Amino acid sequence: MKKARPLIEKVIDIVKRPYMRILPGQLAFFTLMSLIPLVALIGSIANYFSLSLDSLHDISSSLLPMDLATLFTQNMPTNGEGLNFNILAFFLAAFILASNGMHSVIVTSNEIYKYKDEGFIARRIKAIAMTFVLVALLLFLLAVIVLGDSIVELIYEYSSNKSLANALGTIFKFLKIPLSLVVMYFNVKSLYNMAPDNKTANVASKYAAIFTTASWAVGTEIYAIYVKFFAKYNLFYGSVSNILILMIWLYFLAYIFVLGMALSTITSEDLKEKDEK
């Protein structure tokens, strides 16, 4: 316990810092915002392959609570057009705006590590790349942990080869947790390594990524349980409760991500200094 005390004190000190009160909320907001252009792009691709909006809504309604399915599908184009310049321009412009969250992460990371900021354009390009990584990871969590079992059940229901669908479902249940942990760990660690404008050889980033991965896995599993068993019982806020829980989940992910980034700066010298004091 005596050896763990400096680490606990350091974590408490990090939690009290101003950026822990501001940055997670900003990152969660812009992450949610990044889903809007992504949904519009998916709708355009679906139109290109002649998949109707009603079909997309039926599929999403089978996987998500009705109000969340409506929230996402209502932003899809309904004019039957596929990909075009206007859709791509909207997607890029909205995604650049949504990258403000990761841009703030880069600036904060430089402040934490006491690195000098690179030029604005270089930071913005990196922020866009990091936003793509984060959104892809978020979609992975939704598809595998949150909705994975429901997707497997949907495939089994509509599959003509039940034995094959059952075998795929068994393989998915076996690989779901280890695959999720591996994908989360390497993507989170890459985001932590990308954030500072200078490369850092801090070994603590590995342990911070492990902490973030484990916390994300637990939080996402809790959200998955809510979606599967409780999403239809909106006792307090009506249909808005599902959107509220989604935002709480995103805020939790953002808070743990920022906390893990701050923890990655802790060195053995810092702990020694705390212990000596």
Side-chain angles (χ1 to χ4, degrees):
M1 184 65 186
K2 186 177 180 181
K3 292 183 179 180
R5 184 177 177 181
L7 177 60
I8 295 173
E9 291 179 351
K10 186 68 176 179
V11 172
I12 294 175
D13 178 61
I14 289 174
V15 170
K16 292 180 178 179
R17 293 178 183 176
Y19 60 78
M20 289 301 303
R21 304 172 189 173
I22 301 172
L23 187 56
Q26 186 181 24
L27 182 59
F29 170 77
F30 283 111
T31 301
L32 181 62
M33 176 181 284
S34 66
L35 294 177
I36 298 175
L38 184 63
V39 167
L41 183 64
I42 292 174
S44 300
I45 295 174
N47 281 332
Y48 180 79
F49 289 100
S50 301
L51 184 62
S52 67
L53 181 63
D54 291 336
S55 300
L56 291 174
H57 189 273
D58 291 340
I59 293 172
S60 59
S61 298
S62 301
L63 300 173
L64 294 168
M66 181 62 69
D67 45 319
L68 286 182
T70 302
L71 173 66
F72 289 134
T73 56
Q74 71 181 1
N75 293 304
M76 294 181 178
T78 57
N79 55 5
E81 294 183 3
L83 288 174
N84 55 46
F85 176 78
N86 292 333
I87 292 294
L88 290 176
F90 165 74
F91 173 75
L92 291 175
F95 217 85
I96 290 173
L97 179 62
S99 69
N100 281 333
M102 274 301 173
H103 185 267
S104 298
V105 167
I106 295 171
V107 173
T108 303
S109 179
N110 288 335
E111 182 68 24
I112 292 173
Y113 280 101
K114 303 189 185 307
Y115 289 156
K116 183 179 179 181
D117 290 342
E118 291 184 355
F120 175 81
I121 296 178
R123 285 203 315 273
R124 179 58 65 178
I125 293 174
K126 185 165 67 171
I128 294 172
M130 292 176 66
T131 303
F132 270 106
V133 174
L134 181 63
V135 171
L137 182 55
L138 177 63
L139 292 178
F140 175 84
L141 293 178
L142 285 171
V144 176
I145 298 182
V146 178
L147 304 175
D149 293 337
S150 299
I151 293 174
V152 169
E153 292 173 2
L154 193 65
I155 292 174
Y156 181 82
E157 181 180 350
Y158 289 98
S159 175
S160 58
N161 191 336
K162 300 297 183 182
S163 59
L164 177 60
N166 189 52
L168 292 175
T170 303
I171 294 173
F172 171 78
K173 290 179 180 179
F174 180 76
L175 294 178
K176 174 182 175 181
I177 299 301
L179 177 64
S180 300
L181 292 176
V182 170
V183 171
M184 278 192 287
Y185 172 77
F186 283 105
N187 279 275
V188 168
K189 193 171 186 301
S190 67
L191 287 173
Y192 285 158
N193 290 335
M194 291 171 65
D197 282 335
N198 291 329
K199 291 184 179 180
T200 176
N202 194 349
V203 180
S205 62
K206 178 176 69 175
Y207 299 104
I210 293 174
F211 162 77
T212 302
T213 298
S215 301
W216 276 21
V218 173
T220 303
E221 189 62 37
I222 293 173
Y223 179 63
I225 293 172
Y226 167 81
V227 170
K228 187 173 184 178
F229 296 105
F230 302 104
K232 296 181 181 179
Y233 301 96
N234 306 313
L235 301 178
F236 298 104
Y237 297 99
S239 61
V240 179
S241 64
N242 291 320
I243 300 175
L244 178 64
I245 297 298
L246 172 65
M247 295 176 67
I248 291 174
W249 174 60
L250 289 176
Y251 181 81
F252 170 80
L253 297 184
Y255 190 92
I256 293 297
F257 179 84
V258 177
L259 178 60
M261 181 181 69
L263 293 176
S264 69
T265 65
I266 297 177
T267 63
S268 57
E269 287 75 15
D270 293 331
L271 300 180
K272 287 179 181 178
E273 288 178 4
K274 282 279 185 182
D275 197 23
E276 290 172 358
K277 292 179 181 179

